[in-house]
């Protein structure tokens, strides 16, 4: 049983404000997960925290990300505060497990776009697609587009598969503009241990973000060239 769940059980008779104080006063957990063969027990531990409204920092095939369960609105509000984002201007990506998972949140994908998605994913890309009517209801924000990622990394994909929902996520940035992205899990933990509930050590991360491809116009357009190379 994680400390979060234990405290919830102990404080269940107490009011929610007391529970919140205890919940956020603790330093984040820091666990190492095998990159190629993520341990099921540890993945289950991560999912337990997410289902409890927790925020996690985790590795991807590009840079480390920070995210929470897409279906937990309070967790999303907290994520926005951590990242200093206004909920009305929410512009975060969904981490999905496979192409079938993507179809739950976007409008019908045309065949040419689907072929590119199938060829490129999993991989270091974020595809901007038109969101379906489900997304504004989930986020309580009138979002017409959504960024979709299926990283080529077993840790986030295993988390999402067990959770059953996408992670809504942002990148971890560094105050040092030369380095731009923090890559060392120990440094990330020191930066975020009092803000999030769990930091996953998946080894040294990259410092090049995903390539962002806008699929909402008549022609596909690269709006940010990152790690992924794609022939449009």
């Amino acid at each position: 049983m994680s400390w979060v769940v234990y405290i919830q059980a102990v404080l269940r008779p107490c009011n929610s404000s007391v529970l919140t104080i205890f919940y956020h006063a603790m330093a984040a957990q820091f666990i190492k997960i095998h990159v190629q063969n993520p341990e099921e027990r540890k993945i289950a531990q991560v999912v337990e925290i997410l289902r409890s409204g927790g925020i996690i920092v985790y590795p991807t095939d590009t840079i480390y990300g920070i995210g929470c369960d897409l279906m937990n609105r309070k967790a999303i509000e907290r994520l926005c505060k951590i990242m200093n984002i206004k909920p009305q201007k929410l512009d975060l990506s969904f981490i999905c497990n496979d192409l079938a998972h993507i179809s739950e949140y976007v409008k019908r994908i045309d065949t040419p776009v689907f072929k590119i998605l199938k060829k490129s994913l999993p991989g270091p890309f974020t595809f901007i697609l038109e969101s379906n009517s489900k997304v504004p209801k989930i986020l309580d924000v009138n979002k017409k587009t959504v960024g979709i990622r299926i990283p080529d990394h077993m840790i986030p994909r295993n988390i999402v598969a067990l959770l059953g929902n996408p992670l809504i996520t942002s990148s971890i940035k560094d105050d040092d503009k030369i380095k731009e992205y923090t890559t060392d899990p120990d440094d990330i933990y020191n930066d975020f241990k009092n803000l999030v509930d769990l930091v996953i050590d998946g080894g040294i991360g990259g410092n090049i973000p995903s390539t962002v491809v806008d699929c909402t116009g008549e022609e596909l357009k690269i709006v940010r060239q990152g790690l992924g190379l794609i022939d449009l």
Side-chain angles (χ1 to χ4, degrees):
M1 176 184 291
S2 73
W3 278 108
V4 172
V5 175
Y6 174 77
I7 288 175
Q8 286 178 327
V10 171
L11 296 180
R12 190 160 284 129
C14 302
N15 62 48
S16 59
S17 61
V18 173
L19 180 59
T20 301
I21 291 171
F22 273 80
Y23 184 82
H24 297 303
M26 298 172 56
Q29 297 182 52
F30 187 50
I31 63 172
K32 187 176 183 65
I33 298 180
H34 196 280
V35 176
Q36 279 76 37
N37 297 294
E39 301 88 337
E40 292 184 9
R41 175 182 59 83
K42 292 182 179 180
I43 294 297
Q45 179 182 348
V46 175
V47 169
E48 183 180 42
I49 289 171
L50 288 167
R51 287 176 176 162
S52 299
I55 309 290
I56 69 169
V57 175
Y58 61 95
T60 74
D61 53 350
T62 55
I63 57 183
Y64 269 77
I66 177 172
C68 64
D69 182 356
L70 174 64
M71 298 302 175
N72 192 313
R73 192 170 292 176
K74 288 187 177 180
I76 295 174
E77 291 173 0
R78 185 175 154 217
L79 178 63
C80 289
K81 289 180 181 178
I82 292 172
M83 302 306 294
N84 196 26
I85 299 170
K86 293 181 179 180
Q88 295 80 8
K89 296 185 178 180
L90 193 64
D91 192 20
L92 304 176
S93 300
F94 291 7
I95 300 289
C96 296
N97 184 42
D98 52 33
L99 291 175
H101 207 186
I102 289 177
S103 65
E104 297 181 33
Y105 305 97
V106 302
K107 290 183 178 180
R108 183 180 178 276
I109 302 173
D110 293 335
T111 299
V113 174
F114 181 80
K115 287 181 178 179
I116 290 177
L117 296 181
K118 190 173 181 179
K119 181 180 179 181
S120 306
L121 299 173
F125 300 95
T126 300
F127 288 98
I128 300 174
L129 300 163
E130 290 187 63
S131 59
N132 61 21
S133 59
K134 188 175 182 179
V135 172
K137 293 177 182 177
I138 294 171
L139 299 177
D140 197 26
V141 176
N142 186 24
K143 276 194 66 65
K144 296 182 179 180
T145 63
V146 60
I148 295 291
R149 280 217 66 199
I150 302 178
D152 189 13
H153 199 295
M154 294 307 297
I155 290 176
R157 290 178 63 199
N158 281 19
I159 290 170
V160 169
L162 185 58
L163 179 64
N165 306 321
L167 293 175
I168 185 166
T169 189
S170 180
S171 301
I172 295 293
K173 277 212 170 186
D174 196 282
D175 290 335
D176 184 344
K177 292 184 179 180
I178 297 175
K179 188 165 72 172
E180 192 170 8
Y181 294 101
T182 303
T183 60
D184 190 315
D186 291 317
D187 292 340
I188 292 171
Y189 180 73
N190 288 331
D191 289 342
F192 286 89
K193 64 184 178 182
N194 296 318
L195 297 173
V196 304
D197 304 285
L198 172 72
V199 175
I200 297 173
D201 179 355
I204 298 298
N207 59 7
I208 303 175
S210 64
T211 293
V212 180
V213 183
D214 187 347
C215 304
T216 60
E218 293 184 3
E219 295 183 356
L220 276 64
K221 180 181 179 182
I222 295 176
V223 295
R224 181 183 71 191
Q225 181 62 60
L227 185 62
L229 298 177
I230 190 168
D231 183 8
L232 302 179

